[in-house]
Amino acid sequence: MRVTIIATGIANTASVEAAFTRLGVEVEHTTDARRVEQARAVVLPGVGSFGAGMDVLRTLGLLEVLPERIVQGRATLAVCLGLQLLCRGSEESPEVEGLGVLDTVARRFPDSVSVPQFGWNRVCAGEGSRLIEDGHAYFANSYRIVSLTGHSAPVEGVGKPLAGARGSDWVCATTDHAGRFVSAIERGAVLGCQFHPEISGPWGQRLLGRWLAMADEGVGTC
Amino acid sequence: MLTRRIIPCLDVRGGRVVKGVKFAGLRDVGDPVDHAKTYEQQGADELVMLDVSATPEDRETALETVRALRRALSIPLTVGGGVRGVETAERLLLSGADKVSMNTAAVTEPGLLTRLAERVGRQCVVLALDAAAWASGEGWEVVTRSGAHRTGIDAVSWARQAEQGGAGEILLTSWDRDGTQEGYDLSLIAAISRAVRVPVIASGGASCPEHMARALDAGASAVLAASIFHEGRYTVEQVKQVLSQCGVEVRR
């Protein structure tokens, strides 16, 4: 079993790599879109800002490859900003169009709470979840997805949802920071985490282990 | 709701954990990876490794230690001590640190925090703010070079400036209390926590869980301690138990 990490060049992936190595799998880094298309298990790591992240995905030619993997439910893990890139857009870079897999927009936490959200917060698994369990996860984020079910008002200039993208068929885990937000999503073998599973202790290791097992079974691959 | 963090600190020189009052009279207290794994198992929320190297050879060894810690640890790792510029910081991050802390260089080189935050994101940038009471007794000034240099800079305004400049967290050490075991400087913690919105990690002077509870009550988001854990007086688990009984929300 091998995990393919997208080498964005702007994200530090040492911790992600270490976590998978501890789980006994091989890790490779790639900038090759074909590799991303074919790989069994792909990780989109948390990268700097939303705009810079989309720039990298465009440069690497991943604007179609990644959404396709995700729509097909093939083993893909999106971490932190990686999850936000799946949205239509983000308040962080209002002029930039996201991948549009999720019909929502990432928004900044209100100033009533500490921003960035730094530290361990409780994740509550959604109903029907196969990957996420209740537990504490390590967060480091200023933006988050409030809801996937289309309640979020449009942001001026932000792109349209991908054809077929819906909110309702994702199982969402939630966490409370200025009210509940979506801290993880799962569908098939696709897992998106607003937190960092790679540094979320034994709980995070177990989560990555379950995702690997699902990738290994080939869930979602046709 | 965010939990309060308990952070053991390893002072590392030449690949070994050392302990000394104000970095004088260092003694060897063990292997960094052994310590780190034990703390993680006990429920440590994060780990800080402070590189107290004396020589360039030690600095290279420190990078090896960071790699070894990263391989072993599944919790966040902050590395500080002797970080002189963006290049050193990036080497530490690539070796496996999740965050890098800076003290002296951040003070002597204006704009360094900002440049680093622009490169790697503010979530990776920690300001190590070492403070000591002004001679007058009112307020605190910033000290650098492991306490050897009193800068004459007001600690509260420096904290604000660093937050605006790109620091994502402040690791606040009371130079008056460090190594004394008399408890954290609560008024310093309160003053800095009020001045900034980024998390403040209290450091310097803890010898029991009650000290930690008071520091958290004074406004700290996290507490850091070294000797209380190294000497085995308390495990992280025991500390969290006491804190929990005091009504502090911790990850257990």
Side-chain angles (χ1 to χ4, degrees), chain A residues 9 31 56 62 67-68 72-73 83 85 91-92 94-95 99 126-127 148 151 164 179 186 190 209 211:
Chain A
T31 53
V56 170
L62 294 174
E68 266 167 33
Q72 290 164 6
L83 168 63
L85 294 175
E91 285 184 349
E92 186 176 13
E95 70 291 353
L99 290 173
E127 205 175 315
L148 281 193
H151 296 310
E186 56 174 279
V190 179
W211 176 71

Side-chain angles (χ1 to χ4, degrees), chain A residues 25-220:
Chain A
V25 292
E26 208 183 308
V27 173
E28 67 169 354
H29 299 265
T30 191
T31 53
D32 179 1
R34 277 195 42 177
R35 189 73 204 111
V36 174
E37 192 176 1
Q38 292 162 358
R40 179 151 237 187
V42 166
V43 179
L44 175 60
V47 279
S49 68
F50 190 90
M54 286 308 299
D55 275 350
V56 170
L57 295 186
R58 191 170 302 111
T59 307
L60 298 182
L62 294 174
L63 296 187
E64 280 158 26
V65 170
L66 263 177
E68 266 167 33
R69 278 193 74 96
I70 291 164
V71 169
Q72 290 164 6
R74 294 174 60 208
T76 311
L77 168 66
V79 176
C80 198
L81 185 80
L83 168 63
Q84 295 173 12
L85 294 175
L86 305 186
C87 299
R88 286 185 349 248
S90 169
E91 285 184 349
E92 186 176 13
S93 313
E95 70 291 353
V96 177
E97 202 167 312
L99 290 173
V101 179
L102 304 173
D103 183 9
T104 188
V105 171
R107 294 175 186 281
R108 198 170 197 276
F109 283 115
D111 284 340
S112 56
V113 291
S114 59
V115 186
Q117 170 184 221
F118 254 128
W120 297 80
N121 204 339
R122 184 144 189 94
V123 174
C124 298
E127 205 175 315
S129 159
R130 291 191 297 165
L131 291 169
I132 301 281
E133 285 177 349
D134 289 353
H136 281 101
Y138 185 82
F139 290 84
N141 63 310
S142 298
Y143 298 83
R144 87 296 193 207
I145 298 167
V146 177
S147 155
L148 281 193
T149 47
H151 296 310
S152 45
V155 167
E156 202 64 38
V158 158
K160 291 182 178 58
L162 194 80
R166 297 184 303 276
S168 55
D169 49 355
W170 290 92
V171 174
C172 298
T174 58
T175 294
D176 187 10
H177 192 60
R180 302 212 76 82
F181 67 93
V182 176
S183 48
I185 60 166
E186 56 174 279
R187 186 175 69 185
V190 179
L191 173 63
C193 302
Q194 184 55 70
F195 50 84
H196 289 272
E198 73 278 13
I199 45 175
S200 287
W203 179 87
Q205 286 286 125
R206 289 196 299 273
L207 172 61
L208 293 178
R210 286 190 295 275
W211 176 71
L212 282 177
M214 202 175 263
D216 206 23
E217 283 167 20
V219 171

Side-chain angles (χ1 to χ4, degrees), chain A residues 12 14-15 18 22 111 113-122 136 138 140 176-177 198-202 205, chain B residues 1-3 5 40 45-46 70-76 93-94 96-99 122-123 168-169 197 199 251:
Chain A
N12 178 21
S15 297
R22 279 192 298 275
D111 284 340
V113 291
S114 59
V115 186
Q117 170 184 221
F118 254 128
W120 297 80
N121 204 339
R122 184 144 189 94
H136 281 101
Y138 185 82
D176 187 10
H177 192 60
E198 73 278 13
I199 45 175
S200 287
Q205 286 286 125
Chain B
M1 184 180 167
L2 276 175
T3 60
R5 288 170 283 159
E40 176 176 321
D45 295 307
E46 211 167 313
R70 178 74 286 148
R71 282 193 294 271
L73 282 182
S74 65
I75 54 174
L93 291 167
L94 289 171
D98 297 298
K99 312 179 217 180
R122 95 171 19 228
Q123 77 282 354
E169 269 184 320
R197 300 198 55 236
R251 174 183 72 109

Side-chain angles (χ1 to χ4, degrees), chain B residues 223-234:
Chain B
V223 285
L224 178 137
S227 56
I228 176 173
F229 297 127
H230 301 336
E231 286 162 15
R233 266 180 283 151
Y234 293 91

Side-chain angles (χ1 to χ4, degrees), chain B residues 157-249:
Chain B
S157 32
W158 172 227
R160 278 203 198 98
Q161 201 184 321
E163 177 185 41
Q164 280 162 13
E169 269 184 320
I170 294 177
L171 169 53
L172 175 65
T173 303
S174 161
W175 210 252
D176 302 315
R177 296 296 180 92
D178 196 44
T180 65
Q181 312 202 348
E182 290 167 7
Y184 299 96
D185 186 336
L186 300 178
S187 37
L188 171 64
I189 293 166
I192 302 291
S193 305
R194 270 199 307 270
V196 297
R197 300 198 55 236
V198 294
V200 172
I201 304 166
S203 156
S207 65
C208 63
E210 288 74 14
H211 286 154
M212 297 176 168
R214 278 177 221 139
L216 296 168
D217 197 44
S221 299
V223 285
L224 178 137
S227 56
I228 176 173
F229 297 127
H230 301 336
E231 286 162 15
R233 266 180 283 151
Y234 293 91
T235 63
V236 178
E237 204 172 4
Q238 286 167 333
V239 164
K240 285 190 164 183
Q241 198 169 353
V242 175
L243 291 177
S244 202
Q245 282 160 1
C246 297
V248 177
E249 191 94 20

